[in-house]
Structure formats: structure tokens, C-alpha cells
Amino acid sequence: MNIKPLGDKVVIKPLKVEEKTQSGIVLPGSAQEKPHQGEIIAVGSGVLNDKGDRVPLEVKPGDKVVYGKFGGTEVKLDDEEVVIIAEKDILVVLG
């Protein structure tokens, strides 16, 4: 996949959702909650500050992150679901 987000945008590959509970109950697709964690696969070049200087993003490809439930846009690229989101909608980087 070759993708280059613009400005402060980040492309995230959501983590897979478990289809079974710990007790072994299989969950139908409608009962599964969408993941809000993922791995960053591409980042934009950053935003311009008031002086016109480009400020790079704090996150980088490979970072595992938690993002807001209603943030971003879901897109299908090369048969793979990804989320395009603004850096400000990323809540934390997981260590």
C-alpha cells in the first residue's frame, strides 16, 4: 500500500477484534465493538505554525495508538480497512 497523508493526517490500521469472548462465546459481527486501537502505517508532513514553519507530527509509522471513538474516516485500501485521522484525535501512544 502506497499512501501519503497530507498535513496533520495519520493513517491507522485498526487492530483485529476478538470474535470470541474469554468463555468461548462466538460474537456475531453486529455485537462486536469496533476497535479504537491500531498501528500507524503512514503520517503526513506536519502542520504550518503561525510563522510558516512546518511542525512535524509527534507520532511515527509503527506506533501503536488509541484514538477517539468517532474520530477519523474509515477507508478500504487494497482490500484492507484503514482509518484516516487527524493527529489531534489520537489520545495516547501505547508503549
Coordinates of all heavy atoms in Angstrom, one line a residue:
M1 N 0.9 -1.2 0.0 CA 0.0 0.0 0.0 C 0.9 1.2 0.0 O 1.8 1.4 0.8 CB -0.9 -0.1 1.3 CG -1.7 1.2 1.4 SD -2.7 1.2 2.9 CE -3.2 -0.5 3.2
N2 N 0.7 2.1 -1.0 CA 1.4 3.3 -1.1 C 0.5 4.5 -0.8 O -0.3 4.8 -1.7 CB 2.1 3.4 -2.4 CG 3.1 4.6 -2.5 OD1 3.4 5.2 -1.5 ND2 3.5 4.9 -3.7
I3 N 0.6 5.1 0.4 CA -0.3 6.2 0.7 C 0.5 7.3 1.4 O 1.4 7.0 2.2 CB -1.5 5.7 1.6 CG1 -2.5 6.8 1.8 CG2 -1.0 5.1 2.9 CD1 -3.8 6.3 2.4
K4 N 0.2 8.5 1.1 CA 0.9 9.7 1.8 C -0.2 10.7 2.2 O -0.7 11.4 1.5 CB 1.8 10.3 0.8 CG 2.5 11.6 1.3 CD 3.5 11.2 2.4 CE 4.3 12.5 2.8 NZ 4.7 12.4 4.1
P5 N -0.5 10.6 3.5 CA -1.5 11.6 4.1 C -0.9 13.0 4.0 O 0.3 13.2 4.0 CB -1.7 11.1 5.5 CG -0.6 10.2 5.8 CD 0.0 9.7 4.5
L6 N -1.8 14.0 4.0 CA -1.4 15.4 3.9 C -1.5 16.0 5.3 O -2.3 15.6 6.2 CB -2.4 16.1 3.0 CG -2.4 15.6 1.6 CD1 -3.5 16.4 0.8 CD2 -1.1 15.7 0.9
G7 N -0.6 17.0 5.5 CA -0.7 17.8 6.7 C -0.6 17.0 8.0 O 0.4 16.3 8.2
D8 N -1.6 17.2 8.9 CA -1.5 16.5 10.2 C -2.3 15.2 10.2 O -2.6 14.7 11.3 CB -2.1 17.4 11.3 CG -3.6 17.7 11.1 OD1 -4.1 17.5 10.0 OD2 -4.3 18.0 12.2
K9 N -2.6 14.7 9.0 CA -3.4 13.4 8.9 C -2.5 12.2 9.1 O -1.3 12.2 8.8 CB -4.1 13.3 7.6 CG -5.0 14.4 7.3 CD -6.1 14.5 8.4 CE -7.1 15.6 8.1 NZ -6.9 16.8 8.7
V10 N -3.0 11.1 9.7 CA -2.4 9.9 10.0 C -3.2 8.7 9.5 O -4.4 8.8 9.6 CB -2.2 9.8 11.5 CG1 -1.6 8.4 11.9 CG2 -1.3 10.9 12.1
V11 N -2.6 7.7 8.9 CA -3.3 6.5 8.5 C -3.0 5.4 9.5 O -1.9 5.1 9.8 CB -2.9 6.1 7.1 CG1 -3.7 4.8 6.7 CG2 -3.1 7.2 6.1
I12 N -4.1 4.8 10.1 CA -4.0 3.8 11.1 C -4.7 2.5 10.6 O -5.8 2.5 10.1 CB -4.7 4.3 12.4 CG1 -4.1 5.5 12.9 CG2 -4.7 3.2 13.4 CD1 -4.8 6.2 14.1
K13 N -4.0 1.4 10.9 CA -4.6 0.1 10.6 C -5.1 -0.4 11.9 O -4.4 -0.7 12.9 CB -3.5 -0.9 10.1 CG -4.0 -2.3 9.8 CD -2.9 -3.2 9.4 CE -3.4 -4.6 9.2 NZ -2.3 -5.5 8.8
P14 N -6.5 -0.5 12.0 CA -7.1 -0.9 13.3 C -6.7 -2.4 13.7 O -6.5 -3.2 12.8 CB -8.6 -0.9 13.0 CG -8.7 0.0 11.8 CD -7.5 -0.2 11.0
L15 N -6.6 -2.6 15.0 CA -6.3 -3.9 15.5 C -7.5 -4.8 15.3 O -8.6 -4.4 15.3 CB -5.9 -3.9 16.9 CG -4.6 -3.1 17.3 CD1 -4.4 -3.1 18.8 CD2 -3.4 -3.7 16.6
K16 N -7.2 -6.1 15.1 CA -8.3 -7.1 14.9 C -9.1 -7.2 16.2 O -8.6 -7.2 17.3 CB -7.7 -8.5 14.5 CG -7.0 -8.5 13.2 CD -7.9 -8.4 12.1 CE -7.1 -8.5 10.8 NZ -7.9 -8.1 9.6
V17 N -10.4 -7.5 16.0 CA -11.3 -7.6 17.1 C -11.5 -9.1 17.4 O -11.6 -9.9 16.5 CB -12.7 -7.1 16.8 CG1 -13.7 -7.3 17.9 CG2 -12.6 -5.6 16.5
E18 N -11.4 -9.5 18.7 CA -11.7 -10.9 19.0 C -13.1 -11.3 18.7 O -14.0 -10.6 18.9 CB -11.5 -11.1 20.6 CG -10.0 -11.0 21.0 CD -9.2 -12.1 20.5 OE1 -9.6 -13.3 20.4 OE2 -8.0 -11.9 20.2
E19 N -13.2 -12.5 18.1 CA -14.6 -12.9 17.7 C -15.2 -13.8 18.7 O -16.3 -14.2 18.6 CB -14.5 -13.7 16.3 CG -14.1 -12.7 15.2 CD -14.0 -13.4 13.9 OE1 -14.4 -14.6 13.8 OE2 -13.6 -12.8 12.9
K20 N -14.4 -14.2 19.8 CA -14.9 -15.0 20.9 C -14.6 -14.3 22.2 O -13.6 -13.6 22.3 CB -14.2 -16.4 20.9 CG -14.5 -17.3 19.8 CD -13.8 -18.6 20.1 CE -14.1 -19.6 18.9 NZ -13.4 -20.9 19.2
T21 N -15.5 -14.5 23.1 CA -15.2 -14.0 24.5 C -14.3 -15.0 25.1 O -14.0 -16.1 24.6 CB -16.5 -13.9 25.3 OG1 -17.1 -15.2 25.4 CG2 -17.5 -13.0 24.6
Q22 N -13.8 -14.6 26.3 CA -12.9 -15.5 27.0 C -13.5 -16.8 27.4 O -12.9 -17.8 27.5 CB -12.4 -14.8 28.3 CG -11.4 -13.7 28.0 CD -10.8 -13.1 29.3 OE1 -11.4 -13.1 30.3 NE2 -9.7 -12.5 29.1
S23 N -14.9 -16.8 27.6 CA -15.6 -18.0 27.9 C -15.9 -18.9 26.7 O -16.5 -19.9 26.8 CB -16.8 -17.7 28.7 OG -17.7 -16.9 27.9
G24 N -15.6 -18.4 25.5 CA -15.7 -19.2 24.3 C -17.0 -18.9 23.5 O -17.3 -19.5 22.5
I25 N -17.7 -17.8 23.9 CA -18.9 -17.5 23.1 C -18.5 -16.7 21.9 O -17.8 -15.8 21.9 CB -19.9 -16.6 24.0 CG1 -20.3 -17.4 25.2 CG2 -21.1 -16.1 23.2 CD1 -21.1 -16.5 26.2
V26 N -19.1 -17.2 20.7 CA -18.8 -16.5 19.5 C -19.7 -15.3 19.3 O -20.9 -15.4 19.4 CB -19.0 -17.5 18.3 CG1 -18.7 -16.8 17.0 CG2 -18.1 -18.7 18.4
L27 N -19.1 -14.2 19.0 CA -19.9 -12.9 18.9 C -20.2 -12.7 17.4 O -19.3 -12.7 16.5 CB -19.0 -11.7 19.4 CG -18.7 -11.7 20.9 CD1 -17.7 -10.6 21.2 CD2 -19.9 -11.7 21.7
P28 N -21.4 -12.4 17.1 CA -21.8 -12.0 15.7 C -21.2 -10.6 15.4 O -20.9 -9.9 16.3 CB -23.3 -12.0 15.7 CG -23.7 -11.7 17.1 CD -22.6 -12.4 17.9
G29 N -21.0 -10.3 14.1 CA -20.4 -9.1 13.7 C -21.1 -7.9 14.3 O -20.5 -6.9 14.6
S30 N -22.4 -7.9 14.4 CA -23.2 -6.7 14.9 C -22.9 -6.5 16.4 O -23.1 -5.4 16.9 CB -24.7 -6.9 14.6 OG -25.1 -8.1 15.3
A31 N -22.5 -7.5 17.1 CA -22.3 -7.4 18.6 C -20.9 -6.9 18.9 O -20.6 -6.5 20.0 CB -22.6 -8.7 19.3
Q32 N -20.0 -7.0 17.9 CA -18.6 -6.6 18.2 C -18.5 -5.1 18.1 O -19.0 -4.4 17.2 CB -17.7 -7.2 17.1 CG -17.7 -8.7 17.2 CD -16.9 -9.3 16.0 OE1 -16.2 -8.6 15.3 NE2 -17.0 -10.6 15.8
E33 N -17.7 -4.6 19.1 CA -17.4 -3.2 19.1 C -16.2 -2.9 18.2 O -15.3 -3.7 18.2 CB -17.2 -2.7 20.5 CG -17.0 -1.2 20.6 CD -16.9 -0.8 22.1 OE1 -17.6 -1.3 22.9 OE2 -16.1 0.2 22.3
K34 N -16.2 -1.9 17.5 CA -15.1 -1.5 16.6 C -13.9 -1.2 17.5 O -14.0 -0.6 18.5 CB -15.4 -0.3 15.8 CG -16.5 -0.6 14.8 CD -15.9 -0.5 13.4 CE -17.0 -0.7 12.4 NZ -16.5 -1.0 11.1
P35 N -12.7 -1.6 17.0 CA -11.5 -1.3 17.8 C -11.2 0.2 17.8 O -11.5 0.8 16.8 CB -10.4 -2.1 17.2 CG -10.9 -2.3 15.8 CD -12.4 -2.3 15.8
H36 N -10.6 0.7 18.8 CA -10.2 2.0 18.8 C -8.7 2.1 19.1 O -8.1 3.1 19.6 CB -10.9 2.8 19.9 CG -12.4 2.7 19.7 ND1 -13.1 3.2 18.7 CD2 -13.3 2.1 20.5 CE1 -14.4 3.0 18.8 NE2 -14.5 2.3 19.9
Q37 N -8.0 1.0 18.8 CA -6.6 0.9 18.8 C -6.1 0.5 17.5 O -6.8 -0.2 16.8 CB -6.1 -0.1 19.9 CG -6.5 0.2 21.3 CD -5.9 -0.8 22.2 OE1 -5.1 -1.6 21.9 NE2 -6.4 -0.8 23.5
G38 N -4.9 0.9 17.2 CA -4.3 0.5 15.9 C -2.9 0.8 15.8 O -2.3 1.4 16.7
E39 N -2.3 0.5 14.6 CA -0.9 0.8 14.3 C -0.8 1.8 13.2 O -1.5 1.7 12.2 CB -0.2 -0.5 13.9 CG 1.3 -0.3 13.6 CD 2.0 -1.6 13.2 OE1 1.4 -2.6 13.4 OE2 3.1 -1.5 12.7
I40 N 0.0 2.8 13.4 CA 0.2 3.9 12.4 C 1.0 3.3 11.2 O 2.0 2.7 11.4 CB 0.8 5.1 13.0 CG1 -0.1 5.7 14.1 CG2 1.2 6.1 11.9 CD1 0.5 6.9 14.8
I41 N 0.4 3.5 10.0 CA 1.2 3.0 8.8 C 1.7 4.1 8.0 O 2.6 3.9 7.2 CB 0.3 2.0 8.0 CG1 -1.0 2.6 7.6 CG2 0.1 0.7 8.8 CD1 -1.8 1.7 6.6
A42 N 1.2 5.3 8.2 CA 1.7 6.5 7.4 C 1.3 7.8 8.1 O 0.3 7.8 8.8 CB 1.1 6.5 6.0
V43 N 2.2 8.8 8.0 CA 1.9 10.1 8.6 C 2.1 11.2 7.6 O 2.9 11.0 6.7 CB 2.8 10.3 9.9 CG1 2.5 9.3 11.0 CG2 4.3 10.3 9.5
G44 N 1.5 12.3 7.8 CA 1.6 13.5 7.0 C 2.9 14.2 7.3 O 3.6 13.9 8.2
S45 N 3.1 15.3 6.6 CA 4.4 16.1 6.8 C 4.3 17.0 7.9 O 5.3 17.6 8.3 CB 4.7 16.8 5.5 OG 3.6 17.6 5.2
G46 N 3.2 17.2 8.5 CA 3.0 18.1 9.7 C 2.2 19.4 9.3 O 1.7 19.5 8.2
V47 N 2.0 20.3 10.2 CA 1.2 21.5 10.0 C 2.1 22.7 10.0 O 3.2 22.7 10.6 CB 0.1 21.6 11.1 CG1 -0.9 20.5 10.9 CG2 0.7 21.6 12.5
L48 N 1.6 23.7 9.4 CA 2.4 25.0 9.5 C 2.0 25.8 10.7 O 0.8 26.0 11.0 CB 2.1 25.8 8.2 CG 2.5 25.2 6.9 CD1 2.1 26.1 5.7 CD2 4.0 25.0 6.9
N49 N 2.9 26.4 11.4 CA 2.6 27.2 12.5 C 2.4 28.7 12.1 O 2.4 28.9 10.9 CB 3.7 27.1 13.6 CG 5.1 27.7 13.2 OD1 5.2 28.3 12.1 ND2 6.1 27.4 13.9
D50 N 2.2 29.6 13.0 CA 1.9 31.0 12.6 C 3.0 31.7 11.9 O 2.8 32.6 11.1 CB 1.6 31.8 13.9 CG 0.3 31.3 14.6 OD1 -0.5 30.7 13.9 OD2 0.2 31.5 15.8
K51 N 4.2 31.2 12.0 CA 5.4 31.8 11.4 C 5.6 31.2 10.0 O 6.5 31.6 9.3 CB 6.6 31.6 12.2 CG 6.6 32.3 13.5 CD 7.9 32.1 14.3 CE 7.8 32.8 15.7 NZ 9.0 32.5 16.4
G52 N 4.9 30.1 9.6 CA 5.0 29.5 8.4 C 6.0 28.3 8.4 O 6.3 27.8 7.3
D53 N 6.5 27.9 9.6 CA 7.4 26.8 9.7 C 6.6 25.5 9.8 O 5.5 25.5 10.5 CB 8.3 27.0 11.0 CG 9.1 28.2 10.9 OD1 9.6 28.5 9.8 OD2 9.4 28.8 11.9
R54 N 7.1 24.5 9.2 CA 6.4 23.2 9.3 C 6.8 22.5 10.6 O 7.9 22.3 11.0 CB 6.8 22.3 8.2 CG 5.9 21.0 8.2 CD 5.7 20.4 6.8 NE 5.3 21.2 5.8 CZ 4.0 21.4 5.5 NH1 3.0 20.9 6.2 NH2 3.6 22.2 4.4
V55 N 5.7 22.1 11.4 CA 5.9 21.4 12.7 C 5.6 19.9 12.4 O 4.5 19.6 12.1 CB 5.0 22.0 13.8 CG1 5.2 21.2 15.1 CG2 5.2 23.4 14.0
P56 N 6.6 19.0 12.6 CA 6.4 17.6 12.3 C 5.5 17.0 13.4 O 5.3 17.5 14.5 CB 7.8 17.0 12.4 CG 8.6 18.0 13.2 CD 8.0 19.3 13.0
L57 N 4.8 15.9 13.0 CA 3.9 15.2 13.9 C 4.7 14.5 15.0 O 5.9 14.1 14.8 CB 3.1 14.2 13.1 CG 2.3 14.8 12.0 CD1 1.4 13.7 11.3 CD2 1.4 15.9 12.5
E58 N 4.1 14.2 16.2 CA 4.7 13.6 17.3 C 4.7 12.1 17.1 O 5.5 11.4 17.8 CB 4.0 13.9 18.6 CG 4.2 15.4 19.0 CD 3.5 15.6 20.3 OE1 3.8 14.9 21.3 OE2 2.8 16.6 20.4
V59 N 3.8 11.5 16.3 CA 3.7 10.1 16.1 C 4.5 9.7 14.8 O 4.8 10.5 14.0 CB 2.3 9.6 16.0 CG1 1.6 9.9 17.3 CG2 1.5 10.3 14.9
K60 N 4.8 8.4 14.7 CA 5.5 7.9 13.5 C 5.0 6.5 13.1 O 4.4 5.9 13.9 CB 7.0 7.8 13.9 CG 7.4 6.9 15.0 CD 8.8 7.0 15.4 CE 9.2 6.1 16.5 NZ 8.4 6.1 17.7
P61 N 5.3 6.1 11.9 CA 4.8 4.8 11.5 C 5.4 3.7 12.4 O 6.5 3.8 12.9 CB 5.4 4.6 10.1 CG 5.5 6.0 9.6 CD 5.9 6.8 10.8
G62 N 4.5 2.8 12.8 CA 4.9 1.7 13.7 C 4.4 1.9 15.1 O 4.3 1.0 15.9
D63 N 4.0 3.1 15.4 CA 3.5 3.4 16.8 C 2.1 2.8 16.9 O 1.3 2.8 16.0 CB 3.3 4.9 17.0 CG 4.6 5.6 17.3 OD1 5.6 5.0 17.5 OD2 4.6 6.9 17.3
K64 N 1.9 2.2 18.1 CA 0.5 1.7 18.5 C -0.2 2.8 19.2 O 0.4 3.3 20.2 CB 0.7 0.4 19.3 CG 1.5 -0.7 18.7 CD 0.6 -1.8 18.2 CE 1.4 -3.0 17.8 NZ 2.1 -2.9 16.6
V65 N -1.4 3.1 18.8 CA -2.1 4.2 19.4 C -3.6 3.9 19.8 O -4.1 2.9 19.3 CB -2.1 5.4 18.4 CG1 -0.7 5.9 18.2 CG2 -2.8 5.1 17.1
V66 N -4.1 4.7 20.6 CA -5.6 4.6 20.9 C -6.1 5.9 20.4 O -5.6 7.0 20.6 CB -5.8 4.5 22.5 CG1 -7.3 4.6 22.8 CG2 -5.2 3.3 23.0
Y67 N -7.2 5.9 19.6 CA -7.8 7.1 19.0 C -9.3 7.2 19.4 O -9.9 6.2 19.9 CB -7.6 7.1 17.5 CG -8.1 5.8 16.8 CD1 -9.4 5.8 16.3 CD2 -7.3 4.7 16.6 CE1 -9.9 4.6 15.6 CE2 -7.7 3.6 16.0 CZ -9.0 3.6 15.5 OH -9.5 2.4 14.8
G68 N -9.8 8.4 19.3 CA -11.2 8.6 19.6 C -12.2 7.8 18.9 O -12.0 7.5 17.7
K69 N -13.3 7.5 19.6 CA -14.3 6.6 19.0 C -14.9 7.1 17.7 O -15.2 6.4 16.8 CB -15.4 6.4 20.1 CG -16.5 5.4 19.7 CD -17.4 5.2 20.8 CE -18.4 4.0 20.5 NZ -19.2 3.7 21.7
F70 N -15.2 8.4 17.7 CA -15.8 9.0 16.5 C -14.9 9.8 15.6 O -15.3 10.5 14.7 CB -17.0 9.9 16.9 CG -18.0 9.1 17.7 CD1 -18.2 9.3 19.1 CD2 -18.8 8.2 17.1 CE1 -19.1 8.6 19.8 CE2 -19.8 7.5 17.8 CZ -19.9 7.7 19.1
G71 N -13.6 9.6 15.8 CA -12.6 10.3 15.0 C -12.3 9.6 13.8 O -12.3 8.4 13.7
G72 N -12.0 10.3 12.7 CA -11.4 9.7 11.5 C -12.5 9.3 10.5 O -13.7 9.3 10.8
T73 N -11.9 8.8 9.4 CA -12.7 8.3 8.3 C -12.3 6.9 7.9 O -11.1 6.7 7.7 CB -12.6 9.2 7.1 OG1 -13.0 10.6 7.4 CG2 -13.4 8.8 5.9
E74 N -13.2 6.0 7.9 CA -12.8 4.6 7.5 C -12.8 4.5 6.0 O -13.7 4.9 5.3 CB -13.8 3.6 8.1 CG -13.8 3.6 9.6 CD -14.8 2.6 10.2 OE1 -15.5 1.9 9.4 OE2 -14.9 2.5 11.4
V75 N -11.7 3.9 5.5 CA -11.5 3.7 4.1 C -11.0 2.3 3.8 O -10.2 1.8 4.6 CB -10.4 4.8 3.5 CG1 -10.2 4.6 2.1 CG2 -10.9 6.2 3.9
K76 N -11.3 1.8 2.6 CA -10.8 0.5 2.2 C -9.7 0.7 1.2 O -10.0 1.2 0.1 CB -11.9 -0.4 1.7 CG -11.5 -1.9 1.6 CD -12.8 -2.7 1.3 CE -12.4 -4.2 1.5 NZ -13.6 -5.0 1.5
L77 N -8.5 0.3 1.5 CA -7.4 0.4 0.5 C -6.7 -0.9 0.3 O -6.3 -1.6 1.3 CB -6.3 1.4 1.0 CG -6.8 2.8 1.3 CD1 -5.7 3.6 2.0 CD2 -7.1 3.5 0.0
D78 N -6.6 -1.4 -0.9 CA -6.0 -2.7 -1.2 C -6.7 -3.8 -0.4 O -6.0 -4.6 0.2 CB -4.5 -2.7 -1.0 CG -3.8 -1.7 -1.9 OD1 -4.4 -1.4 -3.0 OD2 -2.7 -1.3 -1.6
D79 N -8.0 -3.8 -0.3 CA -8.7 -4.8 0.5 C -8.4 -4.8 1.9 O -8.5 -5.8 2.6 CB -8.5 -6.2 -0.1 CG -9.1 -6.3 -1.5 OD1 -10.1 -5.7 -1.8 OD2 -8.5 -7.1 -2.3
E80 N -8.0 -3.7 2.5 CA -7.6 -3.6 3.9 C -8.3 -2.3 4.4 O -8.3 -1.2 3.8 CB -6.1 -3.4 4.0 CG -5.6 -3.8 5.3 CD -4.0 -3.8 5.3 OE1 -3.4 -4.1 4.3 OE2 -3.5 -3.5 6.4
E81 N -9.0 -2.5 5.6 CA -9.6 -1.3 6.2 C -8.6 -0.5 7.0 O -7.8 -1.0 7.7 CB -10.7 -1.8 7.2 CG -11.9 -2.6 6.6 CD -12.8 -1.6 5.9 OE1 -12.9 -0.5 6.3 OE2 -13.5 -2.1 5.0
V82 N -8.6 0.8 6.7 CA -7.8 1.7 7.5 C -8.6 2.9 7.9 O -9.7 3.1 7.4 CB -6.6 2.2 6.6 CG1 -5.6 1.1 6.2 CG2 -7.0 3.0 5.4
V83 N -8.1 3.7 8.9 CA -8.7 4.9 9.4 C -7.8 6.0 9.1 O -6.6 6.0 9.4 CB -9.0 4.8 10.9 CG1 -9.6 6.1 11.4 CG2 -9.9 3.6 11.2
I84 N -8.3 7.1 8.5 CA -7.5 8.3 8.3 C -8.0 9.3 9.3 O -9.2 9.6 9.4 CB -7.7 8.9 6.9 CG1 -7.3 7.8 5.8 CG2 -6.9 10.2 6.7 CD1 -7.6 8.2 4.4
I85 N -7.1 9.8 10.1 CA -7.5 10.6 11.3 C -6.5 11.8 11.5 O -5.3 11.6 11.1 CB -7.5 9.7 12.5 CG1 -8.2 10.3 13.7 CG2 -6.1 9.2 12.9 CD1 -8.5 9.3 14.8
A86 N -7.0 12.8 12.1 CA -6.1 14.0 12.4 C -5.3 13.6 13.7 O -5.8 12.9 14.5 CB -6.9 15.2 12.7
E87 N -4.0 14.0 13.7 CA -3.2 13.7 14.9 C -3.9 14.1 16.2 O -3.7 13.5 17.2 CB -1.8 14.4 14.8 CG -0.9 14.0 15.9 CD 0.4 14.7 15.9 OE1 0.4 15.9 15.6 OE2 1.4 14.1 16.2
K88 N -4.6 15.2 16.2 CA -5.2 15.7 17.4 C -6.3 14.7 18.0 O -6.6 14.8 19.2 CB -5.8 17.1 17.2 CG -7.0 17.1 16.3 CD -7.6 18.5 16.1 CE -8.7 18.6 15.1 NZ -9.9 17.9 15.5
D89 N -6.8 13.8 17.1 CA -7.8 12.8 17.6 C -7.1 11.6 18.1 O -7.8 10.7 18.6 CB -8.7 12.5 16.4 CG -9.6 13.7 16.0 OD1 -9.9 14.5 16.9 OD2 -9.9 13.8 14.8
I90 N -5.8 11.5 18.1 CA -5.1 10.4 18.8 C -5.0 10.7 20.2 O -4.5 11.8 20.6 CB -3.7 10.1 18.1 CG1 -3.9 9.7 16.7 CG2 -3.0 9.1 18.9 CD1 -2.6 9.6 15.9
L91 N -5.4 9.8 21.1 CA -5.4 10.0 22.5 C -4.1 9.7 23.2 O -3.6 10.5 24.0 CB -6.6 9.2 23.2 CG -8.0 9.5 22.6 CD1 -9.0 8.5 23.2 CD2 -8.4 10.9 22.7
V92 N -3.6 8.5 22.9 CA -2.3 8.1 23.5 C -1.5 7.2 22.6 O -2.0 6.6 21.7 CB -2.5 7.3 24.8 CG1 -3.2 8.2 25.9 CG2 -3.3 6.0 24.6
V93 N -0.2 7.2 22.8 CA 0.7 6.2 22.1 C 1.0 5.2 23.1 O 1.4 5.5 24.3 CB 2.0 6.9 21.6 CG1 2.9 5.9 21.0 CG2 1.7 8.0 20.6
L94 N 0.8 3.9 22.8 CA 1.0 2.8 23.7 C 2.5 2.4 23.7 O 3.1 2.3 22.6 CB 0.1 1.6 23.3 CG -1.4 1.8 23.3 CD1 -2.1 0.7 22.7 CD2 -1.9 2.2 24.7
G95 N 3.0 2.2 24.8 CA 4.5 1.8 24.9 C 4.7 0.4 24.7 O 5.5 -0.3 24.4

